[in-house]
Amino acid sequence: MARRIDVTGAGGVRLAAWEFADPPKADPAAADRPAPEPGAPGMLLLHGLMGRASHWASTARWLAARHRAVALDQRGHGQSDKPVQAAYTREAYVEDAEAALEQLGLAPAVLVGHAMGALTAWQLAAKRPDLVRGLIICDMRASALGAASQREWAEWFRSWPVPFATLADVRKWFGEDDPWVERPNPARGAYYAEVMHESADGWRPVFEPEQMLDSRETWVYDAHWEELAQVRCPTLVVRGLDGELGRAEAQEMVRVLPRGEYAEVTDAGHLAHYDRPVAWRSAVLPFLDSLLGD
């Protein structure tokens, strides 16, 4: 089950947070986990660009056996507000996560971030070390991606055949027909199906592509090594072997982090936590156990 809690972010933007409580009894992994302990750290899960809180559902339900696990729909995403005039800056995203930790009473929390959400997490950990007990970074680069990357994304958005007639068409296009797909990937199709809603003429994304480009523009031109070096809490850098974060850069991130650790998820790409949830759990469990043992 999931319980929605509204949070007020930077500039008064309303954010939807989702608390994942009792794990489903059908989940054998959950059955083996001990019950939550008094004082066990809260966890805030931050999705990537174009994502939504529900992409963390499998992970959050597993975590809920020992943690208070909350996933946040970040501004412009999911069921959070998408105001046209809102700021989609790095500062706004970080302030939103900061507000969520404080208003939900999660701190000091473990932050778990994927892609853009991971950058938000480590920027917040650098800014407010008092709020963050530990950090998991999933497939996010610290290096600048550059102008060419932003142009490629703009062209990619324009290539989407929206509106999609059915959700099956969404799954097929993102899982097979998208020119960015190297080989059929049903999990990718399912991932994007979760960020579509039905309109009068078919299925469209719940976000505005222009706002996604605005959000991305605030971080693709800059490197983020300096902020990474300011993170003082234990941090796990996780990459899928076929993801966007290369092994050499991931290991350099671990070296730069004062208390960095490294893990890989085999047979996984950029969406490791989503398309390989069991392997993802195995990769992060030793790190989480070490935090609980502190």
Side-chain angles (χ1 to χ4, degrees), residues 90-91 93-94 118-128 135 219 224 227 231:
R90 284 285 81 226
E91 292 77 13
Y93 279 104
V94 172
L119 175 58
T120 298
W122 88 60
Q123 289 180 321
L124 177 56
K127 175 187 177 185
R128 291 290 307 274
L135 175 63
W219 52 268
H224 304 284
E227 293 155 306
V231 175

Side-chain angles (χ1 to χ4, degrees), residues 25 84-85 115 126 142 145 149 161 182 186 204 209 218 224-225 249 292:
K25 291 183 173 59
V84 175
Q85 299 302 322
L145 301 181
S149 174
E182 295 181 358
R204 295 178 177 274
T218 65
H224 304 284
W225 295 99
E249 183 170 353
L292 285 176

Side-chain angles (χ1 to χ4, degrees), residues 165-186:
T166 68
L167 276 180
D169 292 328
V170 174
R171 295 187 186 96
K172 183 176 185 301
W173 195 82
F174 286 101
E176 300 178 24
D177 300 336
D178 182 351
W180 282 19
V181 175
E182 295 181 358
R183 56 183 179 273
N185 186 343

Side-chain angles (χ1 to χ4, degrees), residues 147-231:
S149 174
Q150 188 72 346
R151 289 193 298 270
E152 289 170 359
W153 272 71
E155 292 171 2
W156 179 57
F157 276 130
R158 287 193 292 268
S159 75
W160 291 16
V162 291
F164 294 92
T166 68
L167 276 180
D169 292 328
V170 174
R171 295 187 186 96
K172 183 176 185 301
W173 195 82
F174 286 101
E176 300 178 24
D177 300 336
D178 182 351
W180 282 19
V181 175
E182 295 181 358
R183 56 183 179 273
N185 186 343
R188 188 176 188 270
Y191 182 94
Y192 281 97
E194 286 194 46
V195 296
M196 297 290 162
H197 70 104
E198 190 171 17
S199 57
D201 58 352
W203 292 84
R204 295 178 177 274
V206 298
F207 52 78
E208 294 296 332
E210 293 79 8
Q211 291 178 352
M212 298 300 98
L213 288 172
D214 288 345
S215 299
R216 194 172 188 273
E217 188 172 8
T218 65
W219 52 268
V220 298
Y221 298 118
D222 298 316
H224 304 284
W225 295 99
E226 182 176 350
E227 293 155 306
L228 197 68
Q230 295 170 2
V231 175

Side-chain angles (χ1 to χ4, degrees), residues 49-284:
L49 188 73
M50 301 182 295
R52 64 184 307 167
S54 64
H55 287 148
W56 286 114
S58 174
T59 293
R61 289 182 178 126
W62 170 68
L63 290 169
R66 291 200 301 182
H67 306 265
R68 184 183 175 206
V70 180
L72 182 68
D73 277 334
Q74 296 174 80
R75 61 176 53 214
H77 297 75
Q79 293 190 30
S80 290
D81 284 348
K82 306 165 183 65
V84 175
Q85 299 302 322
Y88 290 93
T89 63
R90 284 285 81 226
E91 292 77 13
Y93 279 104
V94 172
E95 288 176 16
D96 287 347
E98 182 179 1
L101 288 179
E102 294 179 329
Q103 293 172 37
L104 295 169
L106 293 173
V110 179
L111 302 184
V112 185
H114 172 242
M116 183 192 74
L119 175 58
T120 298
W122 88 60
Q123 289 180 321
L124 177 56
K127 175 187 177 185
R128 291 290 307 274
D130 56 307
L131 297 180
V132 185
R133 177 174 179 171
L135 175 63
I136 297 178
I137 295 169
C138 180
D139 214 60
M140 179 61 189
R141 300 181 61 184
S143 299
L145 301 181
S149 174
Q150 188 72 346
R151 289 193 298 270
E152 289 170 359
W153 272 71
E155 292 171 2
W156 179 57
F157 276 130
R158 287 193 292 268
S159 75
W160 291 16
V162 291
F164 294 92
T166 68
L167 276 180
D169 292 328
V170 174
R171 295 187 186 96
K172 183 176 185 301
W173 195 82
F174 286 101
E176 300 178 24
D177 300 336
D178 182 351
W180 282 19
V181 175
E182 295 181 358
R183 56 183 179 273
N185 186 343
R188 188 176 188 270
Y191 182 94
Y192 281 97
E194 286 194 46
V195 296
M196 297 290 162
H197 70 104
E198 190 171 17
S199 57
D201 58 352
W203 292 84
R204 295 178 177 274
V206 298
F207 52 78
E208 294 296 332
E210 293 79 8
Q211 291 178 352
M212 298 300 98
L213 288 172
D214 288 345
S215 299
R216 194 172 188 273
E217 188 172 8
T218 65
W219 52 268
V220 298
Y221 298 118
D222 298 316
H224 304 284
W225 295 99
E226 182 176 350
E227 293 155 306
L228 197 68
Q230 295 170 2
V231 175
R232 300 299 170 184
C233 63
T235 302
L236 180 68
V237 177
V238 186
R239 62 178 291 268
L241 291 186
D242 295 322
E244 297 179 8
L245 175 62
R247 180 182 284 112
E249 183 170 353
Q251 293 177 342
E252 179 63 11
M253 290 169 66
V254 171
R255 189 193 67 79
V256 167
L257 283 158
R259 302 176 67 183
E261 301 179 32
Y262 176 71
E264 292 182 343
V265 183
T266 59
D267 298 323
H270 183 57
L271 308 177
H273 64 292
Y274 186 84
D275 60 10
R276 293 291 185 271
V278 174
W280 157 260
R281 295 172 191 173
S282 296
V284 303

